[in-house]
Amino acid sequence: MTYGANTIELFLLKCASIKLAVDHANPNRRVNSSIKDEDASVRSSVSQFSAEVRDNALMMAEHYKLFYMLENDIRRLIDDTLTEYNKDPEWWDMCAPDSAKAEFKGNLQREQDAGFTPRSENPLDYVTFGHLGDIIRANYSLFGGILSNQKAMGRVMFSLNNLRGPIAHCGILAEDEVERLKLTVKDWFRLLEGPK
């Protein structure tokens, strides 16, 4: 029996979600154990923080990993779908809304002005999560065979964008928001089941 890349990726994301639930149920873990393979200077730096801060970092790292995989999977879905439709990897100019194009240009310029190494050659990697939903909405006719419902997609993306805030900006997710994250990730995968 052979499995496609999407089936394997879905399995891995579900495993990450399960691991997140198991880790959340076990509050006795410590950050220092998660960096045992890092060099001594990292361990020394981490040990300077309180146990509470280290524990919160470890707990939030699990949420970050889940969201990292989800967000990058959504970026890939957008890129693959619009590349396939346009038969051209340069779909950005034809399909991206003006607000996403402006954000891309602003973020790219800010990084160039700071002398940073470019993060990507793909403009999609320079837009915020909220703009990913805008790009899907602007091209929904192309995603209608993949996603089950446009209104549900908008609701799920809105919820994910709100949950992303504390994850991406070093906050703490409240216990009920951890549950909301798990449910919203399940909602996203339900959307990917396509139209009924």
Side-chain angles (χ1 to χ4, degrees), residues 61-97:
E62 293 303 316
H63 305 313
Y64 176 83
K65 286 191 290 189
L66 177 63
F67 211 98
Y68 177 93
M69 291 183 286
L70 177 68
E71 183 170 331
N72 282 289
D73 194 57
I74 293 170
R75 288 178 194 278
R76 195 187 78 238
L77 172 71
I78 292 169
D79 198 30
D80 289 351
T81 301
L82 295 177
T83 296
E84 175 66 26
Y85 174 76
N86 290 288
K87 306 294 184 225
D88 184 352
E90 304 299 322
W91 58 264
W92 179 258
D93 290 331
M94 296 176 283
C95 300

Side-chain angles (χ1 to χ4, degrees), residues 104 108 111 117-126:
F104 155 65
L108 177 65
E111 289 182 11
T117 303
R119 67 174 93 164
S120 173
E121 292 182 15
N122 188 341
L124 193 58
D125 292 332
Y126 286 86

Side-chain angles (χ1 to χ4, degrees), residues 1-193:
M1 175 183 247
T2 60
Y3 295 100
N6 289 341
T7 303
I8 293 169
E9 187 171 0
L10 180 58
F11 173 76
L12 291 173
L13 285 169
K14 286 180 179 179
C15 287
S17 182
I18 291 168
K19 183 180 182 324
L20 180 67
V22 169
D23 287 347
H24 184 69
N26 179 11
N28 295 324
R29 61 206 178 278
R30 293 279 183 247
V31 170
N32 279 337
S33 65
S34 72
I35 60 165
K36 60 185 164 221
D37 295 332
E38 297 290 334
D39 65 46
S41 65
V42 172
R43 277 196 307 278
S44 174
S45 296
V46 168
S47 68
Q48 295 178 40
F49 295 98
S50 72
E52 179 184 7
V53 169
R54 293 191 313 259
D55 286 346
N56 286 341
L58 185 59
M59 176 190 63
M60 289 306 295
E62 293 303 316
H63 305 313
Y64 176 83
K65 286 191 290 189
L66 177 63
F67 211 98
Y68 177 93
M69 291 183 286
L70 177 68
E71 183 170 331
N72 282 289
D73 194 57
I74 293 170
R75 288 178 194 278
R76 195 187 78 238
L77 172 71
I78 292 169
D79 198 30
D80 289 351
T81 301
L82 295 177
T83 296
E84 175 66 26
Y85 174 76
N86 290 288
K87 306 294 184 225
D88 184 352
E90 304 299 322
W91 58 264
W92 179 258
D93 290 331
M94 296 176 283
C95 300
D98 290 340
S99 61
K101 289 176 184 174
E103 183 171 34
F104 155 65
K105 287 179 184 172
N107 287 337
L108 177 65
Q109 188 63 54
R110 187 171 26 263
E111 289 182 11
Q112 288 173 342
D113 291 347
F116 284 15
T117 303
R119 67 174 93 164
S120 173
E121 292 182 15
N122 188 341
L124 193 58
D125 292 332
Y126 286 86
V127 299
T128 61
F129 187 82
H131 278 101
L132 298 180
D134 294 342
I135 293 168
I136 293 173
R137 271 188 288 285
N139 298 280
Y140 194 79
S141 62
L142 306 177
F143 291 91
I146 299 168
L147 301 172
S148 61
N149 182 289
Q150 185 172 4
K151 191 178 271 190
M153 182 277 303
R155 183 194 60 76
V156 168
M157 292 295 284
F158 178 80
S159 184
L160 287 170
N161 197 31
N162 284 327
L163 290 162
R164 184 185 188 279
I167 296 169
H169 300 284
C170 301
I172 300 293
L173 275 180
E175 201 170 308
D176 55 338
E177 301 310 325
V178 171
E179 293 305 313
R180 190 183 320 274
L181 175 62
K182 292 177 203 172
L183 290 172
T184 308
V185 169
K186 286 181 185 178
D187 288 345
W188 173 257
F189 285 114
R190 194 173 301 116
L191 281 172
L192 288 177
E193 293 173 1

